Amino acid sequence: MKIQFFAGALLCCIFASCIVGCSSNDDSIVIAPEADASQFVVLTDVVPDVILEIRYYSTYNFIGRRIPGYDEPIAMLTRQAADSLKKVSDDLIKQGYRLKIFDGYRPQKAVDYFMQWAVDANDTLMKQYFYPELNKAVLVPQEYIAEKSGHTRGSTIDLTLFDMATEKEVDMGCTYDYFGVASHPDVQPGQTIGAYKPISQEHYDNRMILQKAMMDHGFKPYDCEWWHFTLDNEPFPNTYFTFPLSRKSLE
């Protein structure tokens, strides 16, 4: 009887152990909030008209290398942000434009990499293209680079306009990710501050076309970057996500 009882108890322990730790049922897996991609979508699945130029997947960015966490050249956003951007796209298509996307959701791993790069004074490979008027040492103090990014919350997008008539990207006066006053959306045509080249009236008007369309559909602009917008009622204002930029994250 003792042997039978011991054997039965052992089987119960093994069975219970498998229920707790060995189950293949996905519902039993606990995912940390910052690793949960279930409320995200691949942007082109919602807004098929956008053009993608995911800079951090390429080497043409302010660092000059592909950035960790960008496993695929795709853009991802929260469902709410993607739905709102669909309205922006539909609006602008009527005006003869398409949206060109540089970045959407950004994994925290990428932001950490930016911070590591920022403290390496000798790594200035892309300075002439992205921060010619600034010493690299000021990029963090002046908040061009920070430990936390709105992109990591999933409802921020970096984008520009593509003119369907000319079949060219619209000229906004300075490149995406330019670190300097010229990138500020409210800088006035002809205004000279420091050493940067002033933008023209056409540049300013182009920026306002993009800004108006984004604000009309629930996005708020950022006062230092003409390309950067965040959904006003973002669903995860306090969560900085960690999953990689990949369709596999949605599986």
Side-chain angles (χ1 to χ4, degrees):
M1 290 296 293
K2 290 182 179 179
I3 294 175
Q4 290 177 344
F5 174 79
F6 176 78
L10 180 61
L11 287 172
C12 287
C13 287
I14 293 173
F15 180 69
S17 192
C18 284
I19 290 177
V20 173
C22 307
S23 175
S24 61
N25 185 346
D26 289 342
D27 291 339
S28 69
I29 299 174
V30 177
I31 301 175
E34 64 272 13
D36 183 4
S38 63
Q39 299 304 309
F40 283 69
V41 295
V42 174
L43 181 58
T44 49
D45 290 346
V46 179
V47 196
D49 297 311
V50 299
I51 299 168
L52 299 182
E53 187 181 333
I54 307 303
R55 290 283 185 89
Y56 300 140
Y57 184 81
S58 74
T59 59
Y60 182 51
N61 55 59
F62 66 88
I63 290 180
R65 296 181 291 277
R66 182 183 293 181
I67 306 304
Y70 284 77
D71 293 0
E72 292 183 48
I74 60 174
M76 294 173 67
L77 287 175
T78 60
R79 296 176 188 274
Q80 294 90 332
D83 288 343
S84 293
L85 199 67
K86 176 66 165 64
K87 297 175 183 178
V88 176
S89 177
D90 292 345
D91 185 357
L92 286 168
I93 283 175
K94 295 174 184 177
Q95 301 177 51
Y97 300 103
R98 291 174 68 184
L99 293 173
K100 185 174 185 179
I101 310 300
F102 297 122
D103 196 28
Y105 160 68
R106 182 181 305 164
Q108 184 60 44
K109 184 178 184 179
V111 177
D112 294 342
Y113 188 76
F114 290 168
M115 291 298 296
Q116 293 168 15
W117 169 83
V119 299
D120 183 354
N122 296 318
D123 189 350
T124 56
L125 177 65
M126 304 299 282
K127 176 176 172 60
Q128 63 177 314
Y129 306 107
F130 294 98
Y131 51 105
E133 59 186 281
L134 296 176
N135 185 304
K136 184 179 178 180
V138 308
L139 297 183
V140 173
Q142 294 187 14
E143 298 184 347
Y144 288 103
I145 299 173
E147 293 181 354
K148 296 292 184 181
S149 169
H151 283 274
T152 310
R153 302 194 300 263
S155 295
T156 292
I157 188 86
D158 289 344
L159 74 177
T160 191
L161 299 175
F162 182 89
D163 190 323
M164 292 191 286
T166 64
E167 297 184 351
K168 294 180 180 180
E169 183 179 319
V170 170
D171 189 354
M172 297 292 191
C174 69
T175 187
Y176 163 67
D177 257 357
Y178 184 83
F179 298 155
V181 179
S183 66
H184 295 198
D186 60 350
V187 69
Q188 297 299 303
Q191 182 182 359
T192 301
I193 302 176
Y196 89 94
K197 182 180 179 181
I199 67 168
S200 69
Q201 184 65 49
E202 180 182 4
H203 298 147
Y204 180 81
D205 291 344
N206 290 338
R207 295 178 181 197
M208 293 303 103
I209 292 171
L210 175 61
Q211 187 176 109
K212 182 179 186 305
M214 294 296 287
M215 293 181 70
D216 283 350
H217 297 287
F219 289 89
K220 56 187 176 183
Y222 175 46
D223 59 7
C224 291
E225 298 173 349
W226 59 258
W227 56 81
H228 178 117
F229 297 87
T230 299
L231 188 67
D232 197 24
N233 294 315
E234 58 181 311
F236 302 105
N238 301 305
T239 304
Y240 295 87
F241 291 90
T242 58
F243 59 85
L245 194 69
S246 169
R247 284 185 178 272
K248 290 183 180 179
S249 297
L250 302 177
E251 296 176 354

